[in-house]
């Protein structure tokens, strides 16, 4: 990962979205949603105003100078189909306003949908990047290829210069790995640093390493990112997290 708590690389911001700028990304989605609502309302107001003027002009002309129908909304004397045709004609009469109105109307659900998705991620205590990894581990567990062990038992003590100690509310000594074809890790195995795989020894008679236990459900896996919705939200907004919960 290139940034702390990386969520994704945003092509619009031209940078990775992570812990320090996640709140600005959420603000971007919210502001885009508000702007699209404003643009839709503005476009509808302009087109509706022009329709109203045309409607009143047609009514006053057809009633031979009578002003009885003047002032009524343009959509009062027609059904849904007729009013949609009128509005489509108004869009065609002013392509610039009409195209902007249609574009923002179609795009309006996108920022709110993304915002809702990221609120769900905050509630679940995960990120877009981690969600894809969870799906991968779900497949590993389903295929009976995932194993877990105590990190302190299968790894050497971390070098503080390489892996400094961090202060984080959720602590776990759990580590996850997978094996080829779901075979239980045997003594003499090696870790493949390019992925999550355990490379089994060439000796087929090597005894099983009982420190490793097969993972049967995602409930057995500790999610370090999940600190509860309140602390997840505070962390997403780059605020201090209540370590005491």
């Amino acid at each position: 990962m290139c940034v702390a708590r990386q969520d994704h690389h945003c092509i619009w911001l031209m940078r990775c979205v992570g812990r320090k700028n996640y709140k600005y990304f959420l603000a971007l989605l919210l502001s885009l949603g508000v702007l699209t609502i404003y643009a839709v309302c503005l476009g509808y107001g302009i087109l509706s105003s022009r329709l109203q003027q045309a409607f009143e002009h047609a009514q006053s002309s057809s009633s031979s100078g009578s002003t009885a129908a003047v002032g009524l909304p343009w959509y009062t004397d027609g059904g849904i189909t007729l009013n949609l045709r009128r509005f489509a004609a108004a869009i065609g009469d002013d392509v610039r306003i009409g195209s902007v109105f249609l574009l923002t109307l179609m795009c309006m659900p996108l920022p709110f949908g993304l915002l809702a998705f990221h609120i769900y991620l905050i509630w679940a205590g995960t990120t877009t990047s981690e969600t894809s990894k969870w799906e991968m581990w779900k497949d590993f567990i389903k295929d009976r290829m995932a194993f877990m062990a105590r990190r302190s038992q299968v790894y050497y003590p971390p070098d503080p210069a390489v892996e400094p100690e961090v202060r984080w509310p959720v602590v776990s000594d759990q580590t996850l790995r997978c094996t080829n074809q779901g075979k239980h890790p045997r003594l003499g195995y090696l870790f493949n640093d390019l992925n999550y795989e355990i490379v089994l020894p060439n000796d087929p008679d090597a005894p099983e390493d009982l420190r490793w236990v097969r993972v049967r459900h995602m409930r057995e896996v500790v999610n370090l990112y999940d600190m509860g919705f309140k602390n997840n939200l505070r962390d997403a907004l780059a605020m201090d997290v209540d370590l005491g919960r």
Side-chain angles (χ1 to χ4, degrees):
M1 291 187 180
C2 54
V3 296
R5 208 178 193 276
Q6 182 192 37
D7 185 87
H8 68 284
H9 183 83
C10 182
I11 61 174
W12 309 112
L13 300 178
M14 293 300 294
R15 64 188 61 196
C16 287
V17 175
R19 188 176 188 276
K20 291 187 177 181
N21 60 354
Y22 192 51
K23 60 181 179 181
Y24 301 115
F25 176 73
L26 296 177
L28 172 66
L29 294 180
L30 180 60
S31 61
L32 284 176
V34 173
L35 284 175
T36 54
I37 291 178
Y38 172 75
V40 168
C41 294
L42 181 62
Y44 177 82
I46 294 174
L47 295 174
S48 181
S49 176
R50 294 180 180 178
L51 269 175
Q52 184 66 30
Q53 294 176 4
F55 175 74
E56 291 181 356
H57 177 73
Q59 289 294 328
S60 60
S61 299
S62 62
S63 58
S64 302
S66 174
T67 59
V70 176
L72 294 177
W74 59 268
Y75 48 80
T76 54
D77 68 335
I80 296 178
T81 303
L82 178 59
N83 288 332
L84 287 177
R85 289 178 179 176
R86 288 173 174 172
F87 204 79
I91 293 175
D93 289 339
D94 194 333
V95 178
R96 292 177 301 175
I97 299 297
S99 59
V100 171
F101 169 77
L102 291 177
L103 179 62
T104 52
L105 182 64
M106 291 185 293
C107 293
M108 186 170 59
L110 298 180
F112 287 111
L114 274 175
L115 182 61
F117 173 68
H118 281 275
I119 291 176
Y120 162 75
L121 292 180
I122 294 173
W123 172 81
T126 185
T127 64
T128 303
S129 176
E130 290 298 319
T131 300
S132 63
K133 294 179 182 178
W134 285 124
E135 293 300 322
M136 177 187 67
W137 279 107
K138 287 179 182 178
D139 292 336
F140 286 157
I141 294 173
K142 181 180 179 181
D143 296 335
R144 298 176 57 82
M145 297 171 57
F147 292 85
M148 63 181 178
R150 295 176 63 90
R151 183 180 179 89
S152 57
Q153 293 180 349
V154 297
Y155 284 96
Y156 291 108
D159 184 356
V162 178
E163 188 178 348
E165 183 180 357
V166 295
R167 188 166 178 257
W168 190 253
V170 182
V171 180
S172 174
D173 194 31
Q174 184 185 84
T175 183
L176 294 178
R177 288 279 177 166
C178 65
T179 60
N180 187 23
Q181 298 179 353
K183 296 180 180 179
H184 198 285
R186 299 194 302 270
L187 294 177
Y189 65 82
L190 297 174
F191 288 137
N192 187 344
D193 294 332
L194 299 179
N195 52 34
Y196 305 99
E197 186 179 355
I198 293 178
V199 181
L200 299 179
N202 294 326
D203 183 6
D205 298 325
E208 293 183 350
D209 190 336
L210 300 181
R211 295 175 299 179
W212 292 92
V213 179
R214 191 184 302 275
V215 182
R216 303 186 182 278
H217 198 277
M218 283 296 296
R219 289 192 296 265
E220 303 174 18
V221 180
V222 177
N223 181 7
L224 292 177
Y225 281 158
D226 190 8
M227 302 175 289
F229 179 71
K230 178 182 176 181
N231 283 330
N232 290 344
L233 182 60
R234 292 180 65 88
D235 183 63
L237 300 178
M239 301 171 63
D240 292 335
V241 176
D242 182 9
L243 300 181
R245 295 290 184 110

